[in-house]
Amino acid sequence: GENRVALDIASSSYQSYLGALIKVNHHLKIKVFTSGLCTHNPKVRVPLYIGTPSSVGGYQGTASTTEQSQYDNIPTVEAIPSAPYIPNAPYIATAMPEPSAPPAEWASAVTATPVIMTQSAAVVGGGKIYQAEGDNAHDNPNDNEEADGGSPLAVAEVVPSIPNLIQEIQLSVSSLSTVNRRLTQQTWKRAVFDPMTPNQYASVIRAVTIEFDQPDLAAALAPAVRGGNFTHEYVIAAIRAVSEWLRTPMIGKLLPSCTDLEEHSGKILSQLSDWERVCTQQNFRDALQR
């Protein structure tokens, strides 16, 4: 047989809804209390749909007379007439006012020649930069210098040093691209990367503002430090310089470049927690087998 039960739904209940970000589901939980030995209080969940009856929305449904009477007195709202169409007025271009002549006292102004700094932390990219005057000036810097009617400006070169490298990393859009560009320049290799100490290595890593990029930058620097003599001291300095959640990825990036890992792997492990040792166990095994 079957049993029909009327459910009293609170008026404050949300209607069933299925959207891209929000879902509202309703279920009816039925539990049967039994005293038998084979089955003990079975229960079942029946999905329900709670919403406005179809008779209210103007659709032909099977709502009962009681349900219909509940919504007979709902007031209706007349449609608001739309605004009349207003065509766009044609655009009429107005003449721009002519520029006025500069004040007469400006004629006695004294101009100074530009000063070119010998050192600067700013990096100016590209090739030659021309200072052109007159009507023969062109916008294309690849044209002939004499045809441009100007002389090339001196470009300030950054002095290779650890502070300048840190400042470049902090001001750059891509810190990894900045370091890779400096790694290809012999002057920077001899003056910065070859004599880099573990403390300087850690300070360069900390200069990266996006923490997620710190392991990649540390791995890019590792082969260039001390001419490739990347020892365990640099690995320890790197894991001390980063946040706790980056220590495990940093180990995985730097162990393949460590030159004395077989002799001093215990010193690196002493800096790790028990959980970090478990997470990096495979990294140590792979690096030692190379």
Side-chain angles (χ1 to χ4, degrees):
E2 63 179 16
N3 292 321
R4 293 181 177 269
V5 178
L7 301 177
D8 294 330
I9 308 299
S11 59
S12 59
S13 301
Y14 292 105
Q15 297 192 18
S16 301
Y17 179 76
L18 178 61
L21 299 177
I22 300 176
K23 297 179 180 179
V24 180
N25 298 324
H26 300 87
H27 293 85
L28 174 63
K29 183 178 180 181
I30 302 175
K31 186 175 183 179
V32 180
F33 294 91
T34 62
S35 58
L37 299 177
C38 297
T39 303
H40 179 68
N41 298 342
K43 56 186 176 181
V44 63
R45 295 178 68 210
V46 180
L48 296 179
Y49 179 87
I50 298 178
T52 304
S54 58
S55 58
V56 176
Y59 299 97
Q60 297 297 329
T62 59
S64 63
T65 305
T66 304
E67 294 175 344
Q68 178 66 37
S69 60
Q70 295 177 358
Y71 301 97
D72 287 340
N73 298 324
I74 295 179
T76 59
V77 180
E78 298 181 357
I80 301 175
S82 59
Y85 172 74
I86 301 176
N88 294 329
Y91 173 74
I92 301 176
T94 58
M96 297 295 293
E98 295 292 335
S100 60
E105 57 269 17
W106 286 16
S108 59
V110 178
T111 59
T113 57
V115 178
I116 305 300
M117 299 179 61
T118 57
Q119 298 182 11
S120 175
V123 180
V124 182
K128 295 181 178 179
I129 300 177
Y130 293 92
Q131 182 183 23
E133 297 179 357
D135 296 333
N136 293 330
H138 299 284
D139 294 333
N140 186 3
N142 297 324
D143 293 343
N144 184 268
E145 178 181 343
E146 297 179 356
D148 285 339
S151 58
L153 289 174
V155 178
E157 180 61 28
V158 181
V159 177
S161 65
I162 293 293
N164 285 344
L165 177 62
I166 291 176
Q167 190 171 14
E168 279 191 333
I169 292 175
Q170 292 174 341
L171 298 178
S172 64
V173 177
S174 174
S175 56
L176 186 59
S177 300
T178 300
V179 170
N180 286 333
R181 178 167 55 86
R182 293 306 186 189
L183 288 173
T184 60
Q185 299 174 358
Q186 293 299 322
T187 55
W188 280 80
K189 183 179 179 182
R190 291 190 299 266
V192 177
F193 302 117
D194 285 345
M196 182 177 289
T197 64
N199 289 335
Q200 293 173 339
Y201 180 69
S203 63
V204 172
I205 295 174
R206 282 193 293 264
V208 181
T209 54
I210 303 177
E211 289 187 327
F212 186 79
D213 295 336
Q214 289 178 349
D216 291 332
L217 184 136
L221 281 176
V225 171
R226 291 289 180 90
N229 187 21
F230 187 77
T231 61
H232 71 284
E233 298 173 344
Y234 293 90
V235 179
I236 295 176
I239 61 178
R240 289 178 177 177
V242 298
S243 301
E244 184 176 357
W245 67 279
L246 282 174
R247 289 163 57 91
T248 300
M250 183 68 74
I251 289 291
K253 292 282 187 178
L254 298 184
L255 286 185
S257 300
C258 185
T259 57
D260 59 349
L261 181 62
E262 187 174 357
E263 297 85 359
H264 300 287
S265 60
K267 294 182 179 179
I268 301 176
L269 289 171
S270 65
Q271 303 294 321
L272 305 179
S273 63
D274 294 339
W275 176 246
E276 289 172 342
R277 293 177 187 178
V278 173
C279 296
T280 58
Q281 182 178 5
Q282 187 63 38
N283 299 118
F284 277 94
R285 184 182 297 110
D286 295 340
L288 291 173
Q289 290 177 353
R290 294 185 178 181

